Amino acid sequence: MVCFFFFKQKTAYEMLRSLVGSEMCIRDRYQRRVRGAVHFAMVDSGSGRIQMLLQHLSAASSPITITQLWIYPIKSCGGISVRESAIERSGLLHDREFALIDGDGDVLTQKNHPQLAAIRPSFAFDRDGRLDGIRLRCRGHSDFLVPLHSGDPVTTRWMGHRHALQALCYPSADRWLAAVVGFACSLCKLTDHRPLDHTRLAVVASPSDSCRYQDGSPLSILSEASVDALNRRLTRPVKAR
């Protein structure tokens, strides 16, 4: 089966100091500029690995090396560096599958709440390798394990998406999150299908293409060359992560 994944070429100039970087950091070995959305053919997305993506990227242009691979389980919170990841139609496995929402169901982002970057989630798996918990960490606070065995249905709103998105809420983490973030909020897991027809990729997306709580692309690529160019203009260099 042949399917498509979509990537937004993101430059470091788009990032604020408080923002976490993209899922991949690519060593940029050439000067050709890429603008807008580009897409690459992938094979067998259900069991695909990131090495397959690398092969297709290399075949489409000059040799490319993936130097970092990051998954962000909770939207706008800290990331997890991994050596490989399974790829689904909605992105890397478990990437942006979770989010924090306020009392109105609106998804929180670092753009408005930079303190979210201090939360460092990690996965907890059962003996069969299935995800059954999210461990929350933050400096100055005790770790908190959120079990995912059951959750309460909740309606969430994300950016300009014209339809509400259904999710499961885990209120056991509410007190821990309020102490860290500074106001009442909850952890939720997206259970709805979020199509790409409302994003900038609508002109090339098929009805079965989707993303989770990403900004609008299942995967993002960040070149090291753009980060280096940004750091040459800053008095305090930043790192892509």
Side-chain angles (χ1 to χ4, degrees):
M1 178 182 68
V2 177
C3 60
F4 291 90
F5 283 91
F6 304 90
F7 307 83
K8 181 178 71 172
Q9 185 77 4
K10 180 179 289 187
T11 65
Y13 304 104
E14 299 178 58
M15 298 191 305
L16 298 176
R17 284 184 179 274
S18 62
L19 297 183
V20 176
S22 299
E23 294 89 339
M24 295 178 221
C25 189
I26 307 296
R27 177 173 293 118
D28 192 346
R29 300 180 183 273
Y30 58 101
Q31 299 298 319
R32 182 171 62 89
R33 294 185 178 183
V34 180
R35 295 184 178 181
V38 294
H39 62 275
F40 299 90
M42 295 291 293
V43 179
D44 189 11
S45 63
S47 60
R49 293 281 174 178
I50 201 64
Q51 288 88 345
M52 298 171 59
L53 169 63
L54 179 59
Q55 293 173 4
H56 283 277
L57 285 173
S58 297
S61 60
S62 302
I64 296 175
T65 300
I66 296 178
T67 59
Q68 297 183 43
L69 183 63
W70 289 80
I71 294 174
Y72 300 91
I74 304 175
K75 168 68 180 175
S76 285
C77 293
I80 300 174
S81 178
V82 297
R83 295 182 60 86
E84 66 176 16
S85 174
I87 302 177
E88 301 176 324
R89 293 195 74 93
S90 52
L92 300 181
L93 184 63
H94 301 311
D95 183 60
R96 259 67 67 94
E97 191 171 16
F98 298 82
L100 301 183
I101 57 173
D102 62 17
D104 296 323
D106 291 323
V107 174
L108 306 181
T109 71
Q110 276 192 42
K111 294 177 181 178
N112 297 319
H113 307 287
Q115 65 269 36
L116 298 183
I119 300 175
R120 300 290 173 176
S122 60
F123 297 126
F125 297 95
D126 62 18
R127 292 183 178 180
D128 297 323
R130 293 173 296 192
L131 181 66
D132 71 344
I134 290 286
R135 185 177 299 278
L136 304 176
R137 293 185 172 92
C138 182
R139 182 177 298 179
H141 299 266
S142 299
D143 293 359
F144 188 84
L145 179 62
V146 185
L148 302 177
H149 304 302
S150 61
D152 301 329
V154 65
T155 299
T156 68
R157 291 189 294 270
W158 169 229
M159 296 180 64
H161 191 37
R162 62 174 177 263
H163 300 298
L165 297 172
Q166 302 305 308
L168 291 177
C169 182
Y170 303 95
S172 63
D174 286 2
R175 182 177 298 180
W176 189 94
L177 290 169
V180 172
V181 179
F183 56 87
C185 58
S186 301
L187 176 70
C188 71
K189 177 183 179 182
L190 183 67
T191 58
D192 214 343
H193 173 77
R194 182 189 168 200
L196 298 180
D197 58 3
H198 65 286
T199 71
R200 62 175 60 90
L201 300 177
V203 293
V204 292
S206 68
S208 60
D209 289 318
S210 66
C211 59
R212 302 185 187 102
Y213 284 121
Q214 296 98 332
D215 285 346
S217 301
L219 297 173
S220 298
I221 298 174
L222 177 65
S223 73
E224 287 187 351
S226 61
V227 178
D228 293 340
L230 174 64
N231 283 332
R232 287 194 294 269
R233 294 164 171 80
L234 297 177
T235 56
R236 296 175 57 189
V238 296
K239 293 182 179 180
R241 60 179 184 176

